[in-house]
Structure formats: structure tokens, C-alpha cells
Amino acid sequence: MTDIFDIIVVGAGPAGSMAARFAAEQGVSVLMLEKDRDVGYPVRCGEAISKKGVEEFIPLDEKWISSKISKFSLNSPDGTEVVIEFNDSGFILERRIFDYELAKTAANAGALILTRAYVNGLLFDDNRVSGVKYEFRGEQKEARAKIVIGADGVESRIGRWAGIETFTDFRDMECCVQVTASNIKIDPGTLYFYFGKNVAPGGYFWVFPKAGCSANIGLGISGYEGKKKSALSYLNDFMEKNYPEVPVLTSIAGGVPSIPTLKKISAPGILLAGDAGRQVNPLSGGGIASGMIGGSIAGRIAGESIKLNKPDHILTYDNEWYERIGKRHEIYNRLKNGVYNFDDERFNKIAKSFSNVSADKRSLGKLFAIALVNHPLLLIDIMKVFI
Amino acid sequence: MYRQAKTGKLLIEILPGKCDFCGCCVGVCPEDAIELKEAEISIIDSLCTNCSKCVWSCPIEVIKFNKEGVLA
Ligand SMILES: Cc1cc2nc3c(=O)[nH]c(=O)nc-3n(C[C@H](O)[C@H](O)[C@H](O)COP(=O)(O)OP(=O)(O)OC[C@H]3O[C@@H](n4cnc5c(N)ncnc54)[C@H](O)[C@@H]3O)c2cc1C
Ligand code: SF4
Ligand code: SF4
């Protein structure tokens, strides 16, 4: 294999695969390196995504759809449940298969993929990133490229090596644990959320239905809360109370950087996409769809830059991302700071007021409206969405 | 022999065999002092300042602050 490419992508998650595909579709040579043995495994994810979020990138396929979602159930600390139906449906994915299929679309576009290839350094030419160093089957290797795209997830180090500060303040890291358990009797079309200081302080608890009566059950808490009590302890408490002795199929830990996108996601010779660039929706913690969008923009711009022979063209990535999604994430982040600071009483009050709204008039918008009455400062932030 | 951190004795310990390799700690480390491979994790002594942010962020409590220091 030649060790010179136009573009090297580090990490084969949703962001990396879309970066590799959109770059390869420009007819340039692309290599994607993944440290793990299998693309798509282990799955560190609740696997929820909106229909719109997937459709932009891959035709719907039953083989990676575990369940179809049409309702939210929001549960306040005193047990008040608020159910919202939404028109645009969503899915719980089988990400193990989904990520694999995404990587295949990159391969079909012409990208080369190498697994068990751990990137441990960057190459530079005149302060410009010009390739990567990586370990493959116990051997230290190098591969050169005009552009490197770092899509190496929450644990990303690529950016730092290029002088972009990527670490996340521990208070903004949502520290997560999740089990996939079976024999869970819940509505197969509903996403369940639980709020409050006893279940998930500074975050939320989720139960997402999967095929065959199984479910992803997990939570994220701010690292600040983790200082006092770990995510694992909260999970154990919840399971003991609600699902004692259910069969657990997998359990995983994970981190979600719940902040707006980094101020800088490009530098000479390098772009960052997905969790690596902190492109997660900071309110919901969802990063599959936004990672694919970030990756696709990064890949396309990198490909264009090679074709036009204009190295500095990649610096337009920051702005394009900001206009498409980044701006919105800044607003979501302010909402997050409002919502996650609610005390239990406020959650209860909001849920109670919402129960008085007739079922056909319930919407997320209405819920926000009620939340606003309880916390008027949020109004200023929501107004900014429209100006 | 104790391991030496950037600021003196290394006081941060990853419990052997317990890590899930999730990367949460790597994401919060201000010093880029954690190396994470597919199923291998280690603290880079020369960079670690014992700030403990990784300890607080580990979702499954497998990084510990060890005031005695970590043996090499
Ligand atoms: C518990 C949990 C629940 C979540 N639930 C949801 C949800 O329901 N919906 C949603 O939309 N999002 C959810 N997320 C977030 C979502 O999982 C991520 O935002 C998404 O996976 C980001 O995609 P990515 O491609 O940026 O990174 P990843 O999917 O993390 O991929 C990064 C890849 O890079 C590889 N890599 C890292 N370092 C190197 C290296 N040095 N060399 C080579 N390869 C490397 C990794 O092995 C990995 O395969 C959740 C996250 C967690 C932790
Ligand atoms: S103690 Fe601080 S510097 Fe050391 S590894 Fe943990 S987070 Fe990094
Ligand atoms: S946060 Fe904990 S489980 Fe995750 S990689 Fe670090 S030490 Fe391992």
C-alpha cells in the first residue's frame, strides 16, 4: 500500500465515515484509520436519531433500525409524566450495523479503510500538518497526506497535537453509563426521559426501547456531579428500584462533550469533525446526526481544496459549520444551562402545568413555553433563535 | 519506586483491568496526559499534574487519587 494520500481521516465513527465518503466522492485519494478491530463496535450510544438526521446520508434500511419512535415521555422527580407525540418520527438504531454500513458507503466511494491502526502523532511540514504516525500490528508507521481530518471522538487528541485546544472542562463533560437490558416492558415507540437530582443531576436519565423488549437504559451527569457520586452509582440505584434482576446484555461507559463547537475546527492541513470538534448538540447530547453533517462538510471541503489546489480553502469549514449548525448549538447550550440548573421542584411544577394542557395541544414548543413561565430568562435565549 | 508526575510524585492511578476504554477521562485531561488504545490505557507521567479531573469524570470510578503515590 502506498503511504501517500490526498486526505487521511482518523476515526471511523459516523463523522469519520462521512468525511471519508464526501472526500472520496470528489475523486481524491482517501485513507481512513480506526484504532479498534471492528468499525461500529463497541457501541457507546443510546442510539436515538431523528428520521431527518439519517435520511440525508443513507437510505432507510430495516437491518439497522431497531425500533421506530413517535413519542417522548418526560418524567419529573415526583413521578408526573408528560407525554408528547411528534409528527416527524425517529429511530433507535442498531449502531453496530449502522456505523458499519456508513463505513461501507465511504469504501464504495473509493476510500481505503484500515482497522487496528492507532494514530499516535502527526507529521508536520513548515507548521502545516502533513500526515500521521500510527501503530499497526505492533509496527510504527507513517502516512503522508495534504489534509488530515480528525474524527477521533470524545477522546480526540489529534487537534491538540496540531495546536487546537480541544479538551472539555470536566463540568461540561456528561459522564455516562448505559446498559442494554432485556425483558423491559415499556412502549416500544416511546423515548423515556427522567429528570431530577436523585436520578441524574446536571443531566438526564433515559430508557430507549429496542427490538424484542430490550432497551438502552442509561444516564449522563456533569463531571462536577461525578465528583460527589459516580454515574455508575446512579445507574445501579435506578436499576435496583425499577428493573431489579433484568438480564443485562451489555454495559458501557462513555463521555459526551456538552458544549458548543470549538472556536476553531480547522488549522493549516487539519480539520476536526464530530465529537472531536465538539459538534454534539449540547442540550440533548445527540451527536450522530450532527457528527455526520460535520464530517460531510469537512470531507467535501477537503476534497475541493485538493482539486482546486488551494490549501487555504479548508479554512472555510469553520464558517460553513457555524452557519449550518454551530450557531444553533450555541443557543441550545444556553438552554441547557437554564434547564439543567432547574431544581426538582421546578421540574415538578412544569410537569404539573403541562398535564393541564389537553393531549392534542401538547408539543415541545408548549412545554418550553411553560418552562419559560418558570424561568423567564430563558425567553431571551429562545427569542435569539428567531432573530 | 514511585512514578514521577510533572509536579512531583504521581498520585493518579487507573485500577488495572477495570477500565472500559470510553475516553471520557481523555476528553477532560487538560494536559493531554492520557494515552488510550483499543484496550490499553496509561497515564503519561511527564505530562500529568495530578489535577484529578480524570478521577471526577470517570463514569465507573476506575481512576483513583492515591495520596501515597503510584508505584512504578
Ligand atoms: C452513553 C452515550 C449515549 C449517547 N446517546 C446518543 C443518542 O442517543 N443519540 C445521538 O445522536 N448521540 C448519542 N451519543 C453521542 C454519540 O454517540 C456521539 O456523538 C457520536 O458517536 C460521535 O460520532 P464521531 O464519529 O464523532 O465519534 P465516534 O463515534 O466516537 O468515533 C470515533 C472513532 O475514532 C476512533 N479513534 C479514536 N482515537 C483514535 C486514534 N488515535 N487512532 C485511530 N482511531 C481512533 C475510535 O475508536 C472511534 O471508533 C451518546 C454518547 C454516549 C457516550
Ligand atoms: S490528573 Fe489531571 S493531568 Fe493527570 S491525567 Fe488526570 S486529568 Fe490529566
Ligand atoms: S473514563 Fe474511566 S472507563 Fe473511561 S477510559 Fe477513562 S479510566 Fe477508562
Side-chain angles (χ1 to χ4, degrees):
Chain A
M1 192 197 289
T2 152
D3 57 359
I4 301 175
F5 296 85
D6 290 318
I7 295 166
I8 291 176
V9 178
V10 182
S17 285
M18 287 308 97
R21 169 174 137 198
F22 279 74
E25 281 174 354
Q26 308 275 320
V28 301
S29 67
V30 179
L31 170 68
M32 178 159 70
L33 300 170
E34 166 57 50
K35 72 173 166 54
D36 292 348
R37 176 193 296 262
D38 297 296
V39 171
Y41 184 81
V43 178
R44 300 186 189 281
C45 188
E47 306 179 284
I49 192 166
S50 69
K51 184 158 172 252
K52 200 166 108 236
V54 219
E55 270 178 344
E56 182 178 346
F57 296 102
I58 187 165
L60 298 183
D61 189 333
E62 295 294 330
K63 76 177 166 220
W64 43 253
I65 294 175
S66 185
S67 55
K68 296 194 172 84
I69 301 298
S70 60
K71 280 186 220 161
F72 278 131
S73 155
L74 308 171
N75 297 271
S76 75
D78 69 358
T80 309
E81 186 188 24
V82 169
V83 178
I84 303 167
E85 287 201 42
F86 49 104
N87 312 329
D88 209 13
S89 61
F91 304 111
I92 299 299
L93 299 169
E94 200 58 70
R95 261 196 75 181
R96 199 181 172 141
I97 305 173
F98 181 72
D99 282 23
Y100 201 83
E101 291 299 315
L102 288 182
K104 271 195 340 212
T105 68
N108 292 342
L112 286 176
I113 304 173
L114 206 57
T115 63
R116 303 188 80 180
Y118 171 67
V119 174
N120 54 15
L122 292 175
L123 302 171
F124 293 90
D125 261 339
D126 291 335
N127 289 325
R128 199 183 171 85
V129 175
S130 62
V132 301
K133 301 179 199 174
Y134 66 103
E135 203 179 283
F136 181 64
R137 298 197 175 139
E139 253 179 80
Q140 188 61 38
K141 303 194 166 226
E142 289 184 3
R144 302 204 149 262
K146 298 189 185 90
I147 298 165
V148 172
I149 300 178
D152 48 337
V154 62
E155 70 267 45
S156 176
R157 297 172 67 206
I158 302 288
R160 304 188 196 199
W161 296 333
I164 306 175
E165 205 45 273
T166 61
F167 80 90
T168 300
D169 187 288
F170 75 102
R171 286 165 291 211
D172 294 321
M173 183 64 85
E174 287 291 319
C175 309
C176 308
V177 278
Q178 178 183 279
V179 292
T180 304
S182 61
N183 298 358
I184 304 294
K185 291 175 188 63
I186 49 170
D187 177 60
T190 303
L191 297 181
Y192 295 83
F193 297 88
Y194 299 81
F195 300 92
K197 68 174 188 313
N198 292 326
V199 285
Y204 63 83
F205 201 106
W206 66 84
V207 179
F208 293 169
K210 291 194 78 173
C213 283
S214 61
N216 290 334
I217 305 176
L219 78 146
I221 56 170
S222 145
Y224 180 72
E225 297 293 337
K227 224 173 144 171
K228 293 170 252 171
K229 178 173 168 179
S230 73
L232 181 65
S233 312
Y234 284 101
L235 181 72
N236 290 342
D237 290 353
F238 187 94
M239 294 305 285
E240 217 162 274
K241 189 163 160 232
N242 299 286
Y243 301 110
E245 294 177 28
V246 291
V248 169
L249 307 170
T250 61
S251 63
I252 52 98
V256 179
S258 297
I259 43 167
T261 312
L262 300 175
K263 289 272 166 298
K264 217 169 105 172
I265 45 177
S266 67
I270 185 162
L271 299 172
L272 299 178
D275 282 12
R278 309 321 190 201
Q279 292 177 329
V280 187
N281 173 339
L283 180 61
S284 68
I288 311 170
S290 57
M292 289 195 288
I293 294 171
S296 67
I297 301 175
R300 176 178 48 72
I301 290 182
E304 286 168 0
S305 159
I306 302 281
K307 279 202 311 192
L308 298 168
N309 197 17
K310 276 197 188 155
D312 287 344
H313 178 61
I314 64 168
L315 305 178
T316 61
Y317 171 51
D318 290 65
N319 196 45
E320 192 167 333
W321 164 261
Y322 185 77
E323 289 303 324
R324 169 111 200 248
I325 308 274
K327 208 192 294 187
R328 227 186 298 161
H329 281 187
E330 286 184 355
I331 292 154
Y332 294 158
N333 187 54
R334 285 201 292 273
L335 290 176
K336 173 195 104 170
N337 291 334
V339 174
Y340 290 167
N341 285 331
F342 281 178
D343 54 22
D344 284 7
E345 208 156 307
R346 192 167 258 151
F347 275 125
N348 291 337
K349 222 164 108 192
I350 294 168
K352 286 255 159 55
S353 325
F354 199 77
S355 320
N356 298 331
V357 177
S358 66
D360 56 323
K361 293 210 176 92
R362 287 180 190 174
S363 65
L364 269 183
K366 187 86 193 162
L367 183 69
F368 266 120
I370 289 170
L372 286 180
V373 174
N374 286 274
H375 190 5
L377 279 180
L378 276 180
L379 187 62
I380 299 167
D381 280 317
I382 292 193
M383 285 314 287
K384 286 188 182 139
V385 182
F386 302 101
I387 343 176
Chain B
M1 263 289 283
Y2 288 106
R3 288 170 59 185
Q4 294 301 304
K6 192 175 180 180
T7 46
K9 213 191 262 181
L10 182 70
L11 306 175
I12 306 296
E13 185 171 28
I14 302 176
L15 302 181
K18 303 267 192 207
C19 174
D20 194 49
F21 314 109
C22 74
C24 200
C25 56
V26 184
V28 301
C29 175
E31 309 294 334
D32 194 20
I34 306 175
E35 170 106 18
L36 175 70
K37 300 188 189 177
E38 180 175 21
E40 225 181 292
I41 186 163
S42 54
I43 297 206
I44 305 166
D45 298 36
S46 59
L47 298 176
C48 178
T49 58
N50 293 321
C51 76
S52 295
K53 290 178 175 146
C54 55
V55 179
W56 305 327
S57 316
C58 176
I60 56 171
E61 299 175 60
V62 305
I63 315 188
K64 299 284 179 193
F65 184 83
N66 178 344
K67 63 180 188 321
E68 306 294 317
V70 182
L71 289 171

